[in-house]
Amino acid sequence: MKKINSVCIIDDDRIVVFGIKKMLGSVVDCENIFTYGNGMLALEGIREMIRENKEIPSIIFLDINMPIMDGWQFLEEFITLKLDKKVFINIVTSSIDPSDKQKSETFKSRTHHTIEYKTKPIRRNEIEEITNAA
């Protein structure tokens, strides 16, 4: 089983968070899974990791529609962080709006991080692909 140091799940839906955690546990050995209910909490958590010289997550599962700070606002801030590490960001959304898919393509061109766009519900085989790419 592949070992990953840490993963971050940013989603306000507890059922989605539970499902992703459950599937992660069956496909990868992950030491730390950080969960946040919105982008602002996630940014605060990641900035704290940076300040404390802790390793930031290798993989981020990111919902678009959340209260306080949505996924797009999170990405705007995240890509400005001075990070050498390449993070695999997986937008996981229930949105079927083509403009959201296009927006994810725009973010891809603005960062060295890998950004993928997935629709909910995310499946186990997709989790396997994501963790194998990291």
Side-chain angles (χ1 to χ4, degrees):
M1 188 178 285
K2 183 172 180 167
K3 184 170 177 59
I4 294 178
N5 185 47
S6 65
V7 172
C8 179
I9 304 169
I10 308 167
D11 199 312
D12 61 326
D13 185 331
R14 290 181 181 173
I15 294 169
V16 171
V17 171
F18 175 81
I20 292 173
K21 286 173 80 172
K22 192 85 167 153
M23 286 185 279
L24 277 169
S26 71
V27 300
V28 70
D29 179 13
C30 185
E31 196 169 307
N32 298 298
I33 299 176
F34 301 97
T35 60
Y36 302 98
N38 65 63
M40 184 175 292
L41 293 172
L43 269 175
E44 289 170 3
I46 291 169
R47 285 180 175 140
E48 185 174 325
M49 290 175 203
I50 293 167
R51 278 192 304 274
E52 295 176 359
N53 291 320
K54 293 182 179 175
E55 186 176 345
I56 63 164
S58 304
I59 299 172
I60 295 176
F61 292 92
L62 177 64
D63 186 24
I64 294 174
N65 298 310
M66 294 177 288
I68 303 171
M69 178 185 271
D70 68 23
W72 300 127
Q73 293 165 318
F74 169 83
L75 277 175
E76 282 290 346
E77 294 291 324
F78 183 81
I79 65 174
T80 66
L81 297 175
K82 304 289 185 231
L83 300 172
D84 293 330
K85 179 180 182 173
K86 184 176 184 177
V87 177
F88 290 84
I89 302 166
N90 301 276
I91 297 169
V92 183
T93 181
S94 56
S95 173
I96 57 170
D97 186 343
S99 68
D100 283 333
K101 174 82 168 145
Q102 183 56 46
K103 201 170 191 176
S104 74
E105 294 297 322
T106 302
F107 273 102
K108 280 184 186 183
S109 68
R110 295 176 51 204
T111 184
H112 71 285
H113 302 296
T114 299
I115 298 177
E116 296 292 327
Y117 188 91
K118 310 276 185 197
T119 54
K120 291 178 182 176
I122 192 162
R123 291 171 176 74
R124 186 179 190 274
N125 66 319
E126 292 173 307
I127 299 277
E128 287 176 359
E129 290 171 13
I130 291 164
T131 55
N132 284 332

